[in-house]
Amino acid sequence: MSEQQQYGRRAVEIGPTGRTVAENLARLRKARGLSTRQLSAALEDIGRSLSPSGITRMEKAERHVTADELLALAATLRVNPSALLLPATTEGDFEVTGVGRINAQTLWEWADGERPLRVPKGDDGSAYADFQLHARPKFRRRYKVADAASRQLMQNDGANIIDDGQSIRIQMNEED
């Protein structure tokens, strides 16, 4: 008898983000006019086997979606992964795994790499600069150049900030 059988193992519950993925998967599959069988065949064509019953169980939030499956589903449904992970709106507050309730607009801006999820009161721009530094690869970062903390991080990142008094240009050094 295995340890798992002997002591039992509690199934990991599907949380609020998993339920959002379930809803979005069903919505997007139907919007593309695909049956679960057709979606399963399309996934098979790209090398990711997933049975029609597995898709149905995902849509009912009875089965977890792995990270690999999420990306394969997003590619097959021709959407970005955020379209599966986040609410299909930018209005209202939503429950998010590990975060709690948060405004949908803020959630989308965070997922799109535009801002940190939370910004401390009185922040001098450091939260945005730190987020960009660690959340996005070089040349994909979107610093706010208005504050000194962001300017310093950009310069540390190899940027040349050209401010002629009327406009600001950023020139990245591509030596790395």
Side-chain angles (χ1 to χ4, degrees):
M1 182 180 285
S2 74
E3 188 176 323
Q4 182 178 347
Q5 291 170 324
Q6 184 178 1
Y7 295 108
R9 193 162 121 185
R10 199 176 81 171
V12 178
E13 291 182 32
I14 293 178
T17 303
R19 289 189 296 274
T20 298
V21 169
E23 292 168 14
N24 287 333
L25 175 56
R27 177 182 57 78
L28 291 165
R29 178 184 58 77
K30 291 171 187 170
R32 294 291 187 205
L34 298 172
S35 67
T36 56
R37 188 173 306 277
Q38 290 169 321
L39 180 55
S40 174
L43 287 163
E44 182 74 32
D45 288 346
I46 64 167
R48 190 70 198 187
S49 296
L50 189 55
S51 70
S53 64
I55 294 168
T56 298
R57 291 182 59 227
M58 287 175 174
E59 290 180 356
K60 292 181 177 181
E62 295 172 354
R63 180 189 181 285
H64 285 274
V65 178
T66 68
D68 291 323
E69 290 166 340
L70 183 98
L71 289 179
L73 286 163
T76 302
L77 293 168
R78 300 183 318 272
V79 297
N80 63 340
S82 297
L84 287 166
L85 287 166
L86 303 179
T89 182
T90 56
E91 296 179 11
D93 290 343
F94 290 86
E95 188 73 22
V96 178
T97 305
V99 176
R101 293 200 67 77
I102 193 154
N103 177 269
Q105 178 68 34
T106 299
L107 191 57
W108 274 100
E109 289 171 359
W110 170 67
D112 287 342
E114 296 172 10
R115 58 159 295 152
L117 195 55
R118 304 218 193 278
V119 178
K121 278 191 175 190
D123 182 72
D124 65 354
S126 297
Y128 280 89
D130 182 70
F131 175 77
Q132 289 298 316
L133 181 63
H134 298 288
R136 300 178 67 83
K138 195 172 186 177
F139 305 113
R140 297 288 301 162
R141 297 175 183 153
R142 300 178 189 149
Y143 293 106
K144 290 185 171 190
V145 295
D147 58 71
S150 290
R151 282 178 183 247
Q152 185 60 54
L153 280 171
M154 288 177 72
Q155 289 170 339
N156 293 349
D157 206 24
N160 183 21
I161 302 170
I162 303 159
D163 186 349
D164 65 10
Q166 294 180 358
S167 64
I168 298 172
R169 289 181 320 161
I170 301 164
Q171 186 175 44
M172 297 298 291
N173 298 328
E174 297 188 36
E175 295 172 2
D176 293 339

